[in-house]
Amino acid sequence: MLKLYYGLGTCALASHIALEESGADYVAERLDLKANQQNSPDYLAVNPKGRVPALATDKGVITETPAILMYIAQSFPKAKLAPFDDPFTFAQAESFNSYICSGMHIAHAHRMRGRRWATEESSFEDMRRKVPENIRAGFDLIETKMMRGPWVMGEAYSICDPYLFTIAGWAKSDSVDIADFPKVADHYRRMKERSAVQKVLAQYKA
């Protein structure tokens, strides 16, 4: 059985939704991030990075959201969560998830985790001021250049969709209104209607 370690308000939500959509036999364990459980000896033995998500498998632990999402898609091919029959489209899906991970997520983290990149308080404030601009630019790129619609990769739902849903859920805290991006806003609304998403979100209440 797979075991997903997650925390409230984190990108683990994308992997959690993908697991539910895949039909996998799994359990999920919530870490108390406010209590710093992610840096406890027990969890560091699972993931030395001290971050979530982490997915424990019978072969070992996988970390980093794009890797976990791809593992889920490959392990449960009947769910058709990735376009494995088309190398180019497959690479585009990976490109999208990589952009969310290395671009959008990092821009979001500058709002509250500036100490990862700087030491001066003035630097933290400068980072926070830049967040809405950077997040808006990212959503604009997704809206106009990357998202095919109605799902990220077109007609077929994929592992890109729970990842976009996750960062869209952070937009308000980053002072960005996704209503300004009609395709993204419609995607977010339709994601919330999916039974797998509703089942997972019920576990993310504080």
Side-chain angles (χ1 to χ4, degrees):
M1 180 182 290
L2 300 172
K3 184 174 184 178
L4 178 73
Y5 295 87
Y6 73 100
L8 297 182
T10 72
C11 61
L13 177 62
S15 297
H16 205 158
I17 292 171
L19 279 171
E20 192 63 35
E21 295 275 13
S22 74
D25 186 15
Y26 76 97
V27 294
E29 180 175 327
R30 183 200 293 187
L31 300 185
D32 186 345
L33 304 185
K34 291 183 178 180
N36 201 34
Q37 190 179 359
Q38 69 274 25
N39 288 309
S40 67
D42 285 347
Y43 185 65
L44 289 176
V46 175
N47 182 7
K49 298 172 183 176
R51 307 264 181 96
V52 293
L55 183 67
T57 78
D58 60 353
K59 292 184 177 181
V61 176
I62 303 170
T63 61
E64 306 301 334
T65 296
I68 294 173
L69 290 173
M70 191 50 59
Y71 173 84
I72 293 168
Q74 289 183 312
S75 298
F76 304 94
K78 291 183 179 179
K80 297 182 178 180
L81 293 177
F84 294 117
D85 59 338
D86 184 337
F88 181 77
T89 305
F90 174 79
Q92 287 186 314
E94 281 291 86
S95 176
F96 183 88
N97 282 351
S98 294
Y99 177 68
I100 297 298
C101 181
S102 64
M104 295 292 282
H105 195 160
I106 298 302
H108 165 76
H110 276 68
R111 180 169 56 82
M112 63 290 198
R113 298 194 178 95
R115 284 177 172 80
R116 291 180 180 172
W117 300 282
T119 56
E120 299 295 332
E121 188 61 41
S122 59
S123 299
F124 305 151
E125 182 55 35
D126 198 26
M127 289 182 198
R128 285 192 287 267
R129 283 196 298 267
K130 191 73 173 177
V131 168
E133 177 186 342
N134 288 340
I135 294 296
R136 284 192 63 86
F139 277 122
D140 184 64
L141 182 65
I142 291 170
E143 175 87 8
T144 61
K145 303 297 183 183
M146 301 179 74
M147 186 175 175
R148 297 181 180 182
W151 303 111
V152 171
M153 298 306 298
E155 295 297 326
Y157 182 91
S158 75
I159 50 173
C160 299
D161 295 298
Y163 212 178
L164 175 57
F165 175 75
T166 297
I167 64 157
W170 299 344
K172 185 176 180 180
S173 68
D174 292 329
S175 301
V176 173
D177 188 352
I178 61 169
D180 293 338
F181 308 95
K183 288 165 65 176
V184 173
D186 180 64
H187 177 273
Y188 189 78
R189 176 189 60 78
R190 285 183 292 103
M191 283 292 294
K192 291 183 75 171
E193 293 173 351
R194 295 179 71 88
S195 59
V197 175
Q198 293 173 2
K199 183 176 179 179
V200 169
L201 288 179
Q203 301 177 55
Y204 280 69
K205 296 178 181 178

